[in-house]
Amino acid sequence: MNKMPFNESPNLDDDMSPEYHFDYQQAKPNRFATRSSNKMTVVVLDEDVAEVFTTPESVNKALKALIEVVPRISLEADDSQATSKFKKLSEQPQKSYSIEEIRKQYPRAYESWNAEEDEELRLQYNQQASIDEIATEFQRQPSAVKSRLKKLGLL
């Protein structure tokens, strides 16, 4: 075996080209790389947003909460202006009622309940009044009365 002294080693830079061109279309996947079953999308956050949301989990949690709160609105990036805007989704069904129409039958529909009404509601419910009777008395929808009874722990 031929051994060269250390100080006489060949110049390795002589065999290196200044740049190489690879044809990535002929590349094969790395069979040793682990494959993730989760589909991932990479999103670049602005610096001020990245200071608040430091982990992928925190970003996902915030976005999922936003989706639940604003289900009928989509955040869509406008590439031409590099800004974001809200756009209503056209495939979502529109409300088939209006508050004005409902208040013709139930004048106090969608109003907040106060402590006095809660007490009166408890009293009437404990006296075995029906949901419809209570709804008529309070001028509210029967579903609102049921919802309030549930919130008060009576249903």
Side-chain angles (χ1 to χ4, degrees):
M1 186 161 129
N2 253 346
K3 289 189 176 182
M4 293 180 108
F6 179 73
N7 58 0
E8 295 179 22
S9 64
N11 188 354
L12 296 177
D13 290 336
D14 292 344
D15 294 336
M16 297 287 290
S17 295
E19 71 181 59
Y20 290 90
H21 297 284
F22 296 103
D23 185 4
Y24 290 102
Q25 292 178 345
Q26 294 181 3
K28 296 179 182 172
N30 182 352
R31 62 186 173 136
F32 300 107
T34 59
R35 291 192 177 127
S36 173
S37 62
N38 296 340
K39 184 178 178 185
M40 297 175 66
T41 303
V42 177
V43 177
V44 179
L45 301 176
D46 292 340
E47 286 183 32
D48 55 338
V49 176
E51 289 176 9
V52 176
F53 300 102
T54 57
T55 64
E57 292 81 17
S58 64
V59 173
N60 284 326
K61 186 176 179 181
L63 290 175
K64 287 177 182 177
L66 181 63
I67 289 169
E68 288 179 18
V69 172
V70 191
R72 295 185 49 136
I73 296 177
S74 167
L75 189 63
E76 180 183 276
D78 184 1
D79 295 332
S80 64
Q81 307 245 346
T83 60
S84 296
K85 64 181 178 179
F86 283 102
K87 176 184 173 189
K88 285 191 177 185
L89 297 175
S90 60
E91 56 269 3
Q92 293 289 334
Q94 297 296 319
K95 284 194 243 180
S96 61
Y97 63 90
S98 71
I99 294 175
E100 292 79 24
E101 290 175 20
I102 293 173
R103 284 191 173 160
K104 288 176 184 175
Q105 184 175 1
Y106 305 103
R108 302 222 31 240
Y110 300 102
E111 288 183 14
S112 298
W113 293 79
N114 61 38
E116 293 171 9
E117 290 174 321
D118 285 346
E119 199 55 43
E120 182 64 27
L121 180 62
R122 281 188 184 97
L123 181 66
Q124 288 192 21
Y125 184 74
N126 289 335
Q127 292 176 351
Q128 307 297 321
S130 72
I131 300 293
D132 290 331
E133 291 170 343
I134 296 172
T136 303
E137 176 72 26
F138 284 93
Q139 299 179 341
R140 297 178 185 260
Q141 294 173 293
S143 59
V145 172
K146 287 180 189 175
S147 177
R148 193 63 182 182
L149 288 169
K150 286 179 185 176
K151 184 168 185 161
L152 295 173
L154 299 172
L155 271 185

